[in-house]
Every structure is written in structure tokens, then in C-alpha cells.
């Protein structure tokens, strides 16, 4: 379908991103899945190619693009079925906290490295017993002179082993109100007391180094706190809008690619003497999938356009995360069926797409939480 989001410069950028995926990503995917991690050299190559934090201004070492450049990166990663190279997490979920809430000294210290790929970032919100309930976190940060001492553990941390910077949500002692007791801190790799406990074995996202991490009397400078003490919960709420939209973008793009590849496969695969695309059942099922994908594209692009313009879209971004992740699950399930037994084989991208689709309904806030947020935004 014709899209009106992007200008000529964006389309030129897309071609360069697509070439990067062909040259630097696709040949390495099998090795990354075996390693459970993306190599650092490719992160730096992505930085050199302008794929990391493309929206960061030139004054902070960035290329001076916009959010639409990030959307293109998300879409092109989905196009090659690459779920573990966590550029969207780094560029559009973690680094914006430093950009928006950091002071000039913090921006000067970290942003250029995030753009170049020398610094890989992560965010540590989730804890073993809290899930989506950020107000219930137990990790603490105690002020001690010009330092904070952090203690606690976090789980399901993407980029947990590779990261050079991790933004940590921790309770400070400034309030009895759990929503006003959360602060955000930047912990640098190699800091004593920052422990990467173990890499987690997952059902999908095979090349993503998801980890458990811990902090044991981890001392960081007070200058590593982002924003005011106690403002962490509000900062998280502000940035979760974009995080959930990014999930919607990825799901929409993945569904489009799965459908495109399935149509091509159905034209080639024969059963009972003719291509399975000729069977009415195949046509009906693919027509249903195509309808969902096209409806999803219109809604997704509308939300992207309004978000890029700076609108408050907590409800709409939550709807995107909810609907697009559910839609992807339906589409990839229907499409896998047309591959028969081959659809169950990991050598076929459709199999990986099926496995990877499941987590989209869980992270960035479960879909049940999305429904709660949508209802509240509706005033009910």
C-alpha cells in the first residue's frame, strides 16, 4: 500500500538501512542465534552506518534525523526476521531517557557513544516478583554523600550482558508514596557491585542476550542520577508511550513480511497437482490475513505520524501495542499452517517468526496492562 509518512530523504535512508541488513545482518544471523548474542563489531558498524539513535542532534554527536528514521530501522529489521539485534531498544527506548532527562553533562558524556555503538544500553525495570508493577520494585538506592549505593536484582534485561550503560529503576528514601519513591540511575559497565548474574535461556529472540543482573553495594556517583530524586515513575510513564508504539511498529512490519513470504511460498508449494494458492481455503485465509495487515498499517501509520508530531497518545500507543501484537500472533499462526511440516523447522524464517511473536504480548507491559491503561484513558 502507498504510504505518506516518509519524504525522499527517508526513502534514501531506507535503502542504506536495507543494504546494511543485507550485508551486515543476514549473513551473521545463524551465528548470533548460536551465540545468543550480537557481536560488538556489528553494533559499531550500525553506528557508523547511522542506524543507532538517528534522531539525536548533531550537537550531541548524532546525525540529526527524526523518529521516522528509527521507524525505518525497526521495519527493516523485521523484514529480515531479526528479532535479537536490539537496536530499537537501545535507540528508541533506553537512550531517550538520557536525552530527555539527563543534564548537559550527562548528554555530553554518553550520547555520542550511544550513537557510535561504542556504548550499548539497557534498562532495568523488571524484577523477579514485580512484573509490570513498577511501584512494587524492591531495588534500593541509598544516598551516601556524593554517591548512591544500589542493592537489588533485575530480570529479563535485554542487552543485559553486552550493555555498557544500564538505566536502573530503584527506590530512594524520599517518600512513603511508592510512585514518588522511584528514581532512575545510570550504572556503567565495570562498576564494582554491578553483577551480570546469568544469560537467560528463552523460547525465542535467540540472538538477544537477555540476562539477570544484580547490584550488591554498587556505588555510583550522585551525578549518575537522571532527573530529580523521586521523579523516576513519572519519567517511565512518559517514555512508555514510545516504547509501546515501537512494539506496534515491529509487529506490524513483521506481519507484513510474514504475509508476503507466505503468499510467495503458497504459489510454489504444490498439493494434489496444483499450487496451494489455487485452493479456495488458502485464498480465504490469506485474504483474512491481508485485511488485518492493511487495517493495521493504516492505524500504525496514523499513530506514528501523531507521535512524531509530539501528541500525547498514551491510549493510542497502548492500543497499538495491544492490537498489533495480537494481530501478529493471528497472522503468523495462520501463515505457518501453509508451510506444513516445514513451518515447524527452525531453518524456515516462519518458524522463528512464530516463536518470536509470542513475547510481543508480554513485554513493554503485558496486553492485560494495556487494557487497564486504555480503560483509564477512556475514563472508565
Amino acid at each position: 500500500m502507498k504510504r505518506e509518512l516518509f519524504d525522499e530523504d527517508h526513502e534514501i535512508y531506507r535503502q542504506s538501512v536495507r543494504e546494511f541488513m543485507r550485508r551486515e545482518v543476514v549473513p551473521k544471523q545463524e551465528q548470533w542465534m548460536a551465540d545468543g548474542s550480537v557481536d560488538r563489531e556489528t553494533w559499531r558498524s550500525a553506528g557508523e552506518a547511522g542506524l543507532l539513535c538517528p534522531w539525536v542532534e548533531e550537537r550531541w554527536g548524532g546525525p540529526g534525523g527524526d523518529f521516522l528514521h528509527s521507524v525505518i530501522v525497526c521495519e527493516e529489521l523485521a523484514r529480515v526476521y531479526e528479532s535479537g539485534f536490539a537496536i530499537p531498544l537501545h535507540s528508541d527506548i533506553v537512550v531517550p531517557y538520557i536525552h530527555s532527562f539527563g543534564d548537559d553533562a550527562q548528554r555530553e558524556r554518553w550520547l555520542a557513544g550511544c550513537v557510535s555503538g561504542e556504548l550499548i544500553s539497557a534498562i532495568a525495570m523488571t524484577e523477579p516478583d514485580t512484573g509490570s508493577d513498577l511501584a512494587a520494585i524492591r531495588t534500593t538506592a541509598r544516598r551516601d554523600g556524593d554517591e548512591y549505593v544500589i542493592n537489588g536484582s533485575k530480570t529479563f534485561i535485554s542487552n543485559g550482558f553486552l550493555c555498557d550503560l544500564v538505566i536502573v529503576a530503584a527506590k530512594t528514601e524520599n517518600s512513603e508514596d511508592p510512585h514518588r519513591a522511584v528514581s532512575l540511575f545510570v550504572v556503567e559497565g565495570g562498576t564494582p557491585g554491578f553483577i551480570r548474574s546469568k544469560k537467560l535461556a528463552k523460547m525465542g529472540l535467540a540472538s538477544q542476550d537477555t540476562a539477570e543482573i544484580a547490584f550488591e553495594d554498587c556505588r555510583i556517583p550522585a551525578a549518575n542520577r537522571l532527573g530529580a530524586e523521586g521523579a523516576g515513575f513519572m519519567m517511565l510513564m512518559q517514555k512508555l508511550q514510545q516504547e509501546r508504539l515501537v512494539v506496534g511498529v515491529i509487529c506490524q512490519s513483521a506481519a507484513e513480511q510474514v504475509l508476503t513470504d507466505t503468499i510467495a511460498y503458497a504459489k510454489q508449494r504444490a498439493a494434489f497437482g496444483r499450487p496451494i494458492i489455487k485452493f479456495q481455503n488458502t485464498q480465504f485465509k490469506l485474504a483474512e490475513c491481508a485485511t488485518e495487515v492493511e487495517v493495521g498499517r493504516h492505524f500504525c501509520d496514523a499513530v506514528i505520524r501523531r507521535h512524531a508530531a509530539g501528541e500525547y497518545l498514551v491510549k493510542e500507543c497502548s492500543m497499538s501495542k495491544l492490537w498489533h501484537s495480537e494481530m501478529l500472533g493471528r497472522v503468523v499462526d495462520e501463515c505457518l499452517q501453509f508451510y506444513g511440516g516445514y513451518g515447524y523447522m527452525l531453518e524456515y524464517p516462519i518458524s522463528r517468526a512464530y516463536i518470536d511473536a509470542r513475547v510481543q504480548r508480554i513485554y513493554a507491559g503485558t496486553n492485560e496492562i494495556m487494557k487497564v491503561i486504555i480503560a483509564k484513558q477512556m475514563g472508565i
Side-chain angles (χ1 to χ4, degrees), residues 261-377:
D261 290 347
T262 301
I263 292 171
Y265 184 79
K267 290 177 179 179
Q268 298 172 1
R269 182 188 175 194
F272 303 102
R274 56 177 172 162
I276 64 171
I277 197 76
K278 297 297 184 181
F279 290 97
Q280 189 179 66
N281 178 70
T282 304
Q283 296 168 0
F284 280 7
K285 291 296 184 181
L286 291 177
E288 291 169 3
C289 290
T291 301
E292 292 217 66
V293 166
E294 185 142 351
V295 169
R297 171 49 65 202
H298 284 283
F299 180 60
C300 190
D301 280 4
V303 179
I304 291 170
R305 182 182 298 107
R306 294 176 63 191
H307 174 75
E311 291 189 41
Y312 178 83
L313 298 172
V314 168
K315 179 184 71 175
E316 290 82 356
C317 289
S318 298
M319 286 176 168
S320 175
K321 194 273 181 184
L322 168 65
W323 192 85
H324 284 101
S325 63
E326 297 284 355
M327 182 271 288
L328 172 61
R330 293 190 295 270
V331 168
V332 74
D333 184 68
E334 288 283 10
C335 287
L336 185 146
Q337 192 71 15
F338 293 115
Y339 286 76
Y342 292 107
Y344 205 65
M345 301 296 109
L346 285 174
E347 65 184 280
Y348 278 71
I350 186 69
S351 175
R352 301 199 307 273
Y354 181 86
I355 296 170
D356 292 342
R358 188 60 184 88
V359 75
Q360 308 291 349
R361 288 179 264 172
I362 297 173
Y363 59 21
T366 65
N367 281 5
E368 289 72 26
I369 294 295
M370 295 305 100
K371 294 174 186 178
V372 170
I373 294 169
I374 294 164
K376 287 183 177 179
Q377 291 292 312

Side-chain angles (χ1 to χ4, degrees), residues 7 9-10 13 47 50-70 99 111 115:
D7 60 25
D9 288 342
H10 289 119
Y13 180 74
L51 273 64
L52 304 182
C53 310
W55 47 269
V56 171
E57 301 93 333
E58 292 180 11
R59 66 175 295 202
W60 303 120
D66 56 28
F67 178 66
L68 295 180
H69 290 92
S70 284
H99 181 267
L111 284 182
V115 171

Side-chain angles (χ1 to χ4, degrees), residues 123 126-128 131 154-159 200 210-213 362:
I123 188 163
T126 306
E127 297 182 2
K154 301 287 185 176
T155 193
F156 310 142
I157 309 305
S158 299
N159 288 350
L200 299 172
T210 310
E212 286 184 354
I213 62 176
I362 297 173

Side-chain angles (χ1 to χ4, degrees), residues 9-189:
D9 288 342
H10 289 119
E11 295 302 341
I12 293 171
Y13 180 74
R14 183 184 295 279
Q15 293 307 312
S16 69
V17 174
R18 187 166 294 182
E19 172 59 22
F20 180 89
M21 298 299 169
R22 183 196 67 78
R23 184 183 69 250
E24 299 286 346
V25 173
V26 174
K28 302 174 184 177
Q29 285 177 299
E30 187 174 342
Q31 187 61 53
W32 290 348
M33 288 187 284
D35 295 342
S37 182
V38 175
D39 62 277
R40 282 187 164 276
E41 181 182 352
T42 306
W43 274 96
R44 289 191 290 269
S45 296
E48 292 173 5
L51 273 64
L52 304 182
C53 310
W55 47 269
V56 171
E57 301 93 333
E58 292 180 11
R59 66 175 295 202
W60 303 120
D66 56 28
F67 178 66
L68 295 180
H69 290 92
S70 284
V71 169
I72 289 168
V73 175
C74 292
E75 293 178 348
E76 293 303 313
L77 282 166
R79 185 173 175 271
V80 296
Y81 295 88
E82 181 47 54
S83 61
F85 192 0
I87 294 178
L89 169 74
H90 171 80
S91 296
D92 308 308
I93 296 172
V94 184
V95 177
Y97 284 95
I98 298 172
H99 181 267
S100 295
F101 306 120
D103 57 32
D104 282 355
Q106 292 169 328
R107 296 187 188 103
E108 184 72 32
R109 184 177 177 185
W110 293 315
L111 284 182
C114 292
V115 171
S116 70
E118 294 299 323
L119 297 178
I120 300 170
S121 67
I123 188 163
M125 292 186 283
T126 306
E127 297 182 2
D129 298 321
T130 61
S132 298
D133 187 4
L134 295 176
I137 62 174
R138 297 180 181 178
T139 297
T140 60
R142 177 178 56 83
R143 185 73 181 252
D144 184 17
D146 292 333
E147 296 181 318
Y148 280 93
V149 182
I150 302 178
N151 282 282
S153 61
K154 301 287 185 176
T155 193
F156 310 142
I157 309 305
S158 299
N159 288 350
F161 261 72
L162 278 177
C163 66
D164 305 288
L165 302 174
V166 56
I167 296 177
V168 181
K171 288 283 184 68
T172 43
E173 299 173 349
N174 61 312
S175 176
E176 294 298 321
D177 181 348
H179 295 93
R180 296 182 179 179
V182 177
S183 299
L184 299 185
F185 303 89
V186 179
V187 178
E188 297 171 283

